[in-house]
Amino acid sequence: MKTKIIIGTANFLSKYGLNKNYVNQKELISIRKYLKEKNTIFDTSFNYKNLDKILKLFKNINSNYIIKISLNKKNENRLEKIFSDIKEKYKIKKKFYAILLHNSNILKTKSGVEAFKKLYKLKKKNYVNKVGISTYGYENIVSLQRKKIKFDIIQTNGNILDNRFFNFLKKNKNLRSKEIHIRSIFLQGLLLKKKIPKKFEKISKTFKDLNRLSKDLDINILQLLIQHVYKQKVNGLVFGIKNKKELEKIFDSMAVMPKFKNPKFNFDRVQNSLIDPRKW
């Protein structure tokens, strides 16, 4: 199974995350040149103010998009119109890679489930290839399974400090029939920092352990973080990047992932409040 590299766009021309990372126009043009010959998937959202600029900037390279949407009374009956307008405006001929439900908590309600089912009309009308959900953890995935609602893709968070979904996946092997994408691999860049911010001092020892492990394995910390998620055998890894240089490192690291051995280690004892960005 070849693992897809998916590029997050939340910080393209917009501040995002713990460090308010921002990728400016000049850097994006460099990124576009680098990606020109690659088969690229971008992860974006109707909630992002930069969506139009992203579609315009990358429309002439070999790219496709996963687009997230938060469903509500105003848009759930206008989905075909929304996608038709986008395809016409940016002259997009092929189907979007996927549409993902962003506000997946609505699946706990009957009306939310009915709204989610409307996304499948986009698939039937050939606007998108796949339909899925973007969620934190796995609670909303359980709701889908219990209600026997069909879906193609799960996108959720996971990293070397946050193995909750990976542990859930081991106990629910039937989910392997779905396409699984993992984001927050670098925990919004926190795990790549050379110096830990004060608010995360409780896990300073864990940071030291991570750096010691990367030295013992003779790989850099970025490779270690990617390798941990890669070995879970998921279908796609969603990377937030801050510049072209970091993107190059990610592609180079992914190219050598199959050669790495899988060391045994356990960082599962970190407090949830420290590994869940919603609680920062």
Side-chain angles (χ1 to χ4, degrees):
M1 177 181 69
K2 187 174 181 180
T3 306
K4 300 176 183 69
I5 295 176
I6 302 165
I7 302 171
T9 62
N11 66 331
F12 286 9
L13 304 174
S14 182
K15 292 181 180 179
Y16 178 79
L18 175 68
N19 302 311
K20 302 298 179 185
N21 286 326
Y22 179 92
V23 183
N24 62 34
Q25 182 77 13
K26 184 179 179 181
E27 194 66 36
L28 284 176
I29 290 171
S30 295
I31 289 169
R32 184 181 63 186
K33 288 179 181 178
Y34 175 73
L35 294 172
K36 195 170 184 180
E37 303 302 322
K38 299 182 183 296
N39 190 6
T40 307
I41 299 176
F42 291 100
D43 179 83
T44 188
S45 170
F46 284 108
N47 291 348
Y48 297 168
K49 295 178 181 179
N50 59 7
L51 177 60
D52 278 351
K53 293 176 181 177
I54 291 166
L55 293 174
K56 184 178 180 180
L57 183 64
F58 294 103
K59 69 177 182 178
N60 292 324
I61 67 171
N62 187 23
S63 60
N64 208 332
Y65 298 89
I66 294 169
I67 299 187
K68 298 171 186 170
I69 188 168
S70 295
L71 290 176
N72 53 53
K73 297 289 184 182
K74 292 181 179 179
N75 65 16
E76 65 181 64
N77 293 315
R78 296 182 58 251
L79 294 172
E80 286 185 46
K81 173 71 170 143
I82 290 169
F83 273 78
S84 176
D85 288 349
I86 284 180
K87 293 194 77 171
E88 184 178 345
K89 183 176 180 179
Y90 298 103
K91 296 180 173 58
I92 299 171
K93 294 181 180 179
K94 57 187 174 184
K95 293 187 277 187
F96 286 100
Y97 188 84
I99 178 80
L100 303 184
L101 178 65
H102 212 164
N103 55 334
S104 55
N105 283 333
I106 68 170
L107 295 171
K108 295 174 183 177
T109 67
K110 186 176 180 180
S111 60
V113 170
E114 292 306 310
F116 176 71
K117 289 178 180 178
K118 292 178 182 178
L119 294 180
Y120 269 89
K121 290 183 180 179
L122 294 172
K123 186 174 179 178
K124 289 178 182 178
K125 295 282 186 174
N126 291 319
Y127 286 107
V128 301
N129 277 310
K130 304 184 183 211
V131 175
I133 67 166
S134 172
T135 184
Y136 270 93
Y138 53 84
E139 292 82 3
N140 293 326
I141 299 168
V142 173
S143 294
L144 283 175
Q145 289 180 303
R146 284 176 180 167
K147 296 174 183 178
K148 297 181 179 179
I149 303 167
K150 63 179 181 178
F151 59 100
D152 306 312
I153 295 179
I154 301 162
Q155 186 190 109
T156 190
N157 53 302
N159 54 64
I160 201 166
L161 300 187
D162 185 358
N163 293 283
R164 290 171 292 180
F165 176 75
F166 304 139
N167 294 332
F168 173 74
L169 190 58
K170 289 174 184 175
K171 297 176 183 177
N172 294 267
K173 294 182 179 179
N174 60 312
L175 284 176
R176 289 289 183 185
S177 63
K178 311 298 181 185
E179 191 167 322
I180 299 169
H181 298 171
I182 301 296
R183 64 175 184 270
S184 203
I185 296 160
F186 304 144
L187 200 54
Q188 292 195 9
L190 175 65
L191 301 180
L192 293 175
K193 280 187 166 295
K194 292 182 179 179
K195 187 176 181 181
I196 186 170
K198 284 186 178 180
K199 68 187 296 184
F200 297 99
E201 283 182 348
K202 288 183 179 180
I203 53 173
S204 58
K205 183 181 181 300
T206 300
F207 267 66
K208 290 177 182 177
D209 290 341
L210 283 174
N211 282 284
R212 190 180 300 115
L213 180 60
S214 72
K215 288 179 181 178
D216 290 345
L217 296 173
D218 195 26
I219 59 177
N220 62 50
I221 193 72
L222 181 139
Q223 289 173 325
L224 175 65
L225 299 176
I226 295 175
Q227 188 252 10
H228 177 73
V229 181
Y230 179 89
K231 74 177 184 180
Q232 310 298 329
K233 297 180 180 179
V234 296
N235 306 89
L237 305 186
V238 184
F239 294 101
I241 57 170
K242 57 184 180 183
N243 50 44
K244 176 193 167 188
K245 186 177 180 180
E246 189 169 83
L247 181 61
E248 288 174 334
K249 287 181 180 178
I250 288 168
F251 269 91
D252 291 344
S253 296
M254 287 291 286
V256 298
M257 277 299 125
K259 298 178 182 178
F260 286 160
K261 294 180 180 179
N262 295 333
K264 291 184 178 180
F265 51 83
N266 188 349
F267 293 108
D268 276 346
R269 295 181 181 179
V270 180
Q271 287 178 270
N272 289 348
S273 61
L274 295 173
I275 55 177
D276 187 341
R278 295 173 299 175
K279 297 177 181 179
W280 292 353

